[in-house]
Amino acid sequence: MSGTFPARENRGNAVVVPLPWEISGDDLRTWAFRTEAPARLPLLVRRLLASTVPLQSLDMRGDGGVQLPGWDGVVRATQGNAWCPAGLSYWELTVQTDDAKLNEDFEKRSANAPKSAKSATYVAVIAGRYNPKKGKEGWSAARRAQGPWADVRLLDADDLAAWLEQSPAASLWMAYELGRPVVGVTLPEEALRLWSAATEPPLPPDVLLLGDSRAGLAEALRERLVDPRGVG
């Protein structure tokens, strides 16, 4: 896959090149045209949710799972943020940006809405940029008036870019998706793959946790990572 590099930005006489993991709405809008984007978009949103929102539950399939029937995502958050509502929410994701697709998804899901819809939020996510003349809030308000949902939200590429600013881990993952070289920083799964492949035959990752002391440390770290209060 050929890499896409951040666009240069002129600031006075200085030319500023964003860091590889600084993802813009334009980057996401271009990425949305890639063949793999429909299957990878849920992975991006899932990483954003898991890294920025205290979750009670998260069900969002990616890759081949997008071919299965049902909601693109069902999320229950103990606390919301600017992009994810608190409580129960149902998510529909697409790389298309036209009203026809958004309305089709909304009508289909609303016609068979779960009993919890009256207290839940419907969240539509598009990887492109929504029509600025109509406005995201305009679309959301019209669908909200239709019911049966307690609230309706629409997130587009610019919202996802702003969300990515709050998640270095998801930004780094997205930089890899865009094919950008990231020097000096490696995703955990990539570091583990390189470590495993350094020997012949490759060592299984479980070797790292051999022994009661290492297993105990790993479990303690896992508990800290899922603690809403954070690691610090």
Side-chain angles (χ1 to χ4, degrees), residues 58-117:
L58 171 60
D59 181 5
M60 188 172 289
R61 298 187 182 96
D63 290 326
V66 300
Q67 303 298 326
L68 298 174
W71 286 93
D72 292 340
V74 180
V75 179
R76 192 181 293 274
T78 55
Q79 181 181 334
N81 64 14
W83 305 277
C84 174
L88 181 62
S89 55
Y90 293 85
W91 297 59
E92 282 295 302
L93 284 60
T94 180
V95 297
Q96 300 181 41
T97 58
D98 57 286
D99 279 336
K101 172 61 175 171
L102 286 171
N103 294 338
E104 177 187 348
D105 285 345
F106 183 83
E107 297 293 343
K108 179 179 66 175
R109 294 305 186 189
S110 297
N112 299 283
K115 293 181 180 179
S116 57

Side-chain angles (χ1 to χ4, degrees), residues 23-25 28 31 41 44-45 48 83 91 94 125-128 136 155-166 171:
I23 313 299
S24 70
L28 294 171
W31 172 78
L41 176 59
L44 169 60
V45 175
L48 286 168
W83 305 277
W91 297 59
T94 180
V125 179
I126 58 176
K136 290 172 286 187
L155 306 178
D156 71 356
D158 293 319
D159 297 305
L160 293 175
W163 198 356
L164 278 164
E165 291 175 357
Q166 307 305 311
S171 295

